[in-house]
Amino acid sequence: MFKTTLCSALLFLLTIFKPQAHVHGVETTPPSNDCDFFKGSWFIDRSYPLYNGSGCPFVNPGLNCQKNGRIDKRYLSFRWQPHRCQLARFNGEEFLRRNRGKKIMFVGDSLSSNQWQSLACMLYHTVPRSNHIFVNQGPLSNLSFPEYGVSVMYLKNGFLVDLVVEKRGRILKLDSISRCSKWEGVDVLIFNSYHWWTHSGRKKTWDYYQVGEEIFRDMERMDAYKIALTTWAKWVDSYVDPKKTRVFFQGISAVHDLGQDWNEPTVRNCEGQTLPIRGLHYPGKRYPGEQVVKDVLAKMKNPAYLLDITLLTQLRKDGHPSKYGDEGVDCSHWCLAGVPDTWNQILYNILLRS
């Protein structure tokens, strides 16, 4: 049952290390519609990174790996190459021109923030002389470029559905969406939800699930995830006009906590990793959430565009903050500059194509 609320009512060694000369003519036109952006491999490109993380004011300190003492730099110079086509190189001025007068919003957990920070830096670096205004209000961060009338926002919302605190405890309401007023009237929406669903122990942020009037102490995680995503999908189909708003869903970003996942059983996690995995395939298991996302999106009346970043992130065991983050060893998030820049380059190419 889909609850409507106030908001609803309102409406490699050779391939990896071979230097790649950057040819501007190759990367300036959008690829054809039969290009699969998400199948490919990583190559060294001396024209990367696209910006200096230490020179970008929007990078979370825990993601600025170079500033935090990471010595190796090769991870900064890898470019994603789709198997049978070229990606147009990101051009921030062109991005702002094409999106003149529009609002772009990332909605989700810290990996959405990771992507938002990346895009903010890519734009800031490309148009440094353009005036910009940055406002941070609670869960909403807004970087705007008044000259172009463009706003690029991040709204923290890790589950998309409602998480409420009641006398009983913290309840994750799988069929209820009420905190979505800020989603309305946005021209490009990029949603994300998965990372928080896998948390356990002290990281777990809920005590119960609720569907309708029924309260559950426990539930199969992926069943709960599917109910929640279905609630979100029905909201999108009911309240988003596809003629006015483009909707994307950021796919599942890889975690590198076990070396055996990439055939290195003696390696504990991503710490000390300096090179991507060679080739077009990842030897480890797929994430159970991948199929859930694809099943839910396939049933939408107007399916969101899946930014299917799982494979390209699985191949980048070297791209995490590791011990150069906020605390401990972080093998979930990504250094900036780094891997999320490719997510935004792909997003840019999709918008170019349309």
Side-chain angles (χ1 to χ4, degrees):
M1 178 181 178
F2 175 52
K3 277 189 187 174
T4 58
T5 54
L6 176 62
C7 178
S8 301
L10 293 172
L11 205 309
F12 156 87
L13 289 182
L14 178 59
T15 56
I16 284 185
F17 301 122
K18 182 180 179 182
Q20 300 291 312
H22 176 62
V23 182
H24 288 281
V26 172
E27 293 193 3
T28 53
T29 56
S32 63
N33 288 333
D34 60 355
C35 175
D36 187 341
F37 298 120
F38 307 106
K39 291 182 180 179
S41 52
W42 292 95
F43 292 84
I44 281 287
D45 186 327
R46 291 172 178 170
S47 69
Y48 281 67
L50 298 173
Y51 59 90
N52 181 345
S54 296
C56 178
F58 311 112
V59 175
N60 182 302
L63 303 178
N64 192 342
C65 302
Q66 289 291 303
K67 190 173 183 180
N68 292 337
R70 183 166 178 172
I71 298 174
D72 65 294
K73 295 183 178 181
R74 181 170 277 166
Y75 74 96
L76 293 167
S77 298
F78 283 99
R79 172 175 58 83
W80 177 250
Q81 176 61 59
H83 187 37
R84 291 176 178 161
C85 57
Q86 295 284 347
L87 282 171
R89 188 177 178 86
F90 183 84
N91 183 316
E93 188 174 0
E94 179 71 7
F95 181 94
L96 292 170
R97 270 206 318 269
R98 283 179 173 263
N99 292 287
R100 188 179 297 275
K102 293 184 178 180
K103 296 178 180 179
I104 299 163
M105 179 181 283
F106 295 88
V107 182
D109 56 30
S110 53
L111 287 158
S112 280
S113 176
N114 217 165
Q115 186 174 2
W116 173 82
Q117 291 173 54
S118 163
L119 181 58
C121 292
M122 291 164 77
L123 293 171
Y124 178 78
H125 173 77
T126 311
V127 288
R129 289 182 295 277
S130 178
N131 291 328
H132 69 274
I133 300 171
F134 176 63
V135 179
N136 190 356
Q137 295 179 316
L140 180 65
S141 300
N142 185 0
L143 174 64
S144 60
F145 296 85
E147 180 183 346
Y148 297 91
V150 174
S151 292
V152 181
M153 299 171 279
Y154 162 63
L155 181 64
K156 184 178 181 179
N157 187 334
F159 294 110
L160 302 182
V161 295
D162 293 336
L163 176 64
V164 300
V165 179
E166 298 181 354
K167 190 173 182 180
R168 181 194 295 261
R170 302 167 299 177
I171 302 177
L172 197 49
K173 299 194 173 186
L174 303 180
D175 61 347
S176 176
I177 291 179
S178 64
R179 299 185 182 100
C180 52
S181 59
K182 290 183 173 64
W183 306 356
E184 297 172 350
V186 176
D187 301 282
V188 180
L189 284 162
I190 306 100
F191 291 97
N192 159 256
S193 184
Y194 183 70
H195 192 51
W196 287 12
W197 293 89
T198 65
H199 286 170
S200 59
R202 286 181 296 177
K203 290 186 176 181
K204 185 182 174 186
T205 53
W206 72 95
D207 303 305
Y208 300 93
Y209 301 101
Q210 181 173 344
V211 181
E213 299 302 319
E214 292 191 74
I215 304 288
F216 303 91
R217 180 71 180 181
D218 201 9
M219 184 185 291
E220 165 57 42
R221 291 287 180 92
M222 289 301 100
D223 289 344
Y225 182 54
K226 188 169 187 176
I227 295 170
L229 277 195
T230 300
T231 300
W232 162 82
K234 288 181 178 178
W235 187 92
V236 171
D237 276 339
S238 299
Y239 298 101
V240 173
D241 183 348
K243 294 180 181 177
K244 297 179 180 179
T245 301
R246 291 292 305 273
V247 179
F248 296 85
F249 193 90
Q250 182 203 86
I252 293 170
S253 174
V255 176
H256 292 95
D257 281 333
L258 291 171
Q260 65 186 27
D261 288 344
W262 60 89
N263 291 337
E264 289 190 56
T266 60
V267 173
R268 182 177 177 184
N269 52 36
C270 69
E271 185 175 356
Q273 297 298 310
T274 59
L275 302 173
I277 294 168
R278 290 187 299 157
L280 306 169
H281 304 286
Y282 184 69
K285 298 178 182 178
R286 307 299 292 185
Y287 297 104
E290 289 182 76
Q291 196 57 49
V292 173
V293 170
K294 290 177 182 178
D295 288 346
V296 170
L297 265 56
K299 292 177 182 177
M300 294 177 71
K301 181 172 63 178
N302 297 297
Y305 193 113
L306 176 60
L307 295 175
D308 195 3
I309 60 172
T310 304
L311 174 63
L312 69 86
T313 55
Q314 284 177 320
L315 298 176
R316 289 303 305 272
K317 58 187 173 66
D318 61 314
H320 300 285
S322 178
K323 64 181 180 181
Y324 305 105
D326 282 329
E327 56 183 66
V329 176
D330 183 354
C331 296
S332 300
H333 300 94
W334 303 94
C335 297
L336 293 177
V339 174
D341 303 335
T342 293
W343 311 350
N344 287 314
Q345 187 178 358
I346 291 173
L347 177 66
Y348 170 71
N349 274 257
I350 294 166
L351 294 174
L352 271 183
R353 212 163 58 170
S354 59

